[in-house]
Amino acid sequence: MTASDAPLSALSSASRPDVREADRICERLSAVQQALGDIIFGQDTVIRQTLVTILSGGHALLVGPPGLGKTLLVTTLGTVLGLDARRVQFTPDLMPSDITGGEILDEDSTGRRSFRFVKGPVFCQLLMADEINRASPRTQSALLQAMQEHHVSVAGTEHALPQPFHVLATQNPIEQEGTYPLPEAQLDRFMLQIALDFPPEDAERQMLLATTGVSRPTAEPVLSTRGLVEAQTMVRTMPVGESIVDAILTLVRAARPQTTPDQDLKTAIAWGPGPRAAQTLMLATRARALLDGRLSPSLDDVAALAQPVLAHRMALSFAARADGLTPADVITRLVNGLG
């Protein structure tokens, strides 16, 4: 057994994943990826990172220009994973009650009046918050409570959301007029920031042929809600090698100006990721390993997920940005330093 394969001592007393059960889950997850790839062309990395987010039990921020299939991705995910999926188009006049729901005054046949809570669209298992940065901070705060606490508060009463509950929010990086930038506290609640780009030529050709005819490919359920919860539980029982934990801590702490050993980055980074980034990497590397049919994460998983986990959790100084430095450049430099 190598150092990277040694189980983390803090998890040694935890239940180990059953190998046969893990194999069964891996087969189902492979079928899920195949079903999504048959509908979403040329976005394999986006599909994998989205599944990593959901298997980790978190939320994702999809950033990309319009027309790249973000809405199709969410609706297809809902079908394939057996989740109740809904979509909300965020606009500046959207009110918190438009998302959470509200109380209405009912009157029965005897004339007795009472308040009744009517659930909003957030009461689902997979919510697409389309162009989330177009809503006012007040509405975003209502969604933030749902994302973090998995319940909403209306008229002093808490209403629990269905489980599992995941938010896939989208942002259009092109059109920024009339938008409200997401505060850092809300960005930190998104496990991954997933970048969408235009598909390669062969995938775009395949897309043209598949979507402009009489019949179009449709998704079929592959996994049930229970199966998804089992996979999420499996992710949390997977052992993690000491060297992987050390790599995660080294990477996250090196991205902070207070603790980075790189003297150039001390002045280049204005603020860096908090402990939630390390927690996210810990879970996400396990989920990525499970998607590949492995029962323990590797350094390759850490390197592959460093960008989507850290990019939205750090900011550069004005001088660094003036020199053309980007968070992606800094993260690449830190990953290369892991060896």
Side-chain angles (χ1 to χ4, degrees):
M1 178 179 292
T2 64
S4 62
D5 296 326
L8 178 63
S9 57
L11 298 179
S12 59
S13 62
S15 58
R16 296 292 179 210
D18 181 85
V19 175
R20 283 182 293 184
E21 179 69 10
D23 289 341
R24 184 184 66 83
I25 291 176
C26 289
E27 288 179 4
R28 303 309 296 168
L29 292 178
S30 178
V32 166
Q33 294 183 78
Q34 180 63 46
L36 291 171
D38 290 341
I39 305 295
I40 312 295
F41 301 103
Q43 300 289 357
D44 293 341
T45 300
V46 173
I47 290 173
R48 284 174 57 80
Q49 291 181 357
T50 305
L51 288 175
V52 163
T53 303
I54 293 177
L55 289 175
S56 303
H59 316 288
L61 182 63
L62 307 174
V63 180
L68 295 184
K70 295 186 288 291
T71 302
L72 181 61
L73 172 63
V74 176
T75 55
T76 306
L77 271 170
T79 301
V80 173
L81 297 179
L83 300 176
D84 175 23
R86 299 185 186 180
R87 174 181 176 273
V88 175
Q89 177 66 51
F90 278 56
T91 57
D93 60 346
L94 193 72
M95 300 296 292
S97 59
D98 295 328
I99 299 175
T100 62
E103 291 189 327
I104 63 173
L105 185 61
D106 267 353
E107 182 175 343
D108 60 20
S109 58
T110 64
R112 183 180 178 181
R113 297 180 178 181
S114 61
F115 285 100
R116 177 171 60 90
F117 178 67
V118 178
K119 295 180 179 180
V122 76
F123 285 85
C124 63
Q125 294 173 315
L126 183 63
L127 176 68
M128 179 180 185
D130 208 357
E131 294 191 298
I132 186 175
N133 57 331
R134 292 203 174 277
S136 66
R138 183 181 178 187
T139 301
Q140 290 183 19
S141 67
L143 181 62
L144 176 60
Q145 181 193 26
M147 291 169 56
Q148 184 64 20
E149 303 175 17
H150 288 205
H151 70 253
V152 298
S153 299
V154 177
T157 303
E158 292 184 357
H159 302 272
L161 296 174
Q163 296 300 320
F165 174 70
H166 304 280
V167 174
L168 298 182
T170 70
Q171 276 194 158
N172 179 356
I174 299 176
E175 189 178 359
Q176 294 299 312
E177 185 177 352
T179 63
Y180 299 86
L182 299 183
E184 286 74 18
Q186 187 169 0
L187 283 172
D188 197 32
R189 261 63 177 190
F190 288 104
M191 290 193 69
L192 271 64
Q193 177 175 291
I194 303 174
L196 285 86
D197 204 351
F198 296 101
E201 183 179 354
D202 57 341
E204 194 163 2
R205 177 185 295 275
Q206 186 181 7
M207 184 191 309
L208 283 173
L209 298 175
T211 59
T212 58
V214 176
S215 61
R216 298 183 60 178
T218 57
E220 298 292 337
V222 175
L223 207 62
S224 63
T225 301
R226 179 179 177 180
L228 176 59
V229 172
E230 289 176 351
Q232 291 174 335
T233 302
M234 178 68 67
V235 167
R236 289 183 172 268
T237 62
M238 292 170 63
V240 182
E242 292 278 5
S243 63
I244 305 303
V245 178
D246 291 341
I248 291 173
L249 286 173
T250 298
L251 180 64
V252 173
R253 293 181 65 82
R256 301 171 188 159
Q258 300 89 344
T259 54
T260 181
D262 192 322
Q263 295 301 314
D264 293 335
L265 295 183
K266 284 185 179 293
T267 56
I269 301 175
W271 50 266
R276 189 177 281 112
Q279 295 171 325
T280 294
L281 261 178
M282 189 79 156
L283 286 172
T285 53
R286 294 173 180 171
R288 188 176 187 271
L290 191 63
L291 282 175
D292 287 344
R294 295 177 281 114
L295 296 184
S296 183
S298 66
L299 282 175
D300 289 339
D301 298 315
V302 178
L305 292 168
Q307 289 283 354
V309 169
L310 300 180
H312 60 297
R313 290 184 165 99
M314 59 190 303
L316 303 184
S317 64
F318 176 80
R321 287 184 280 117
D323 290 338
L325 198 65
T326 66
D329 297 329
V330 173
I331 296 169
T332 299
R333 178 171 173 173
L334 296 176
V335 169
N336 291 337
L338 293 177

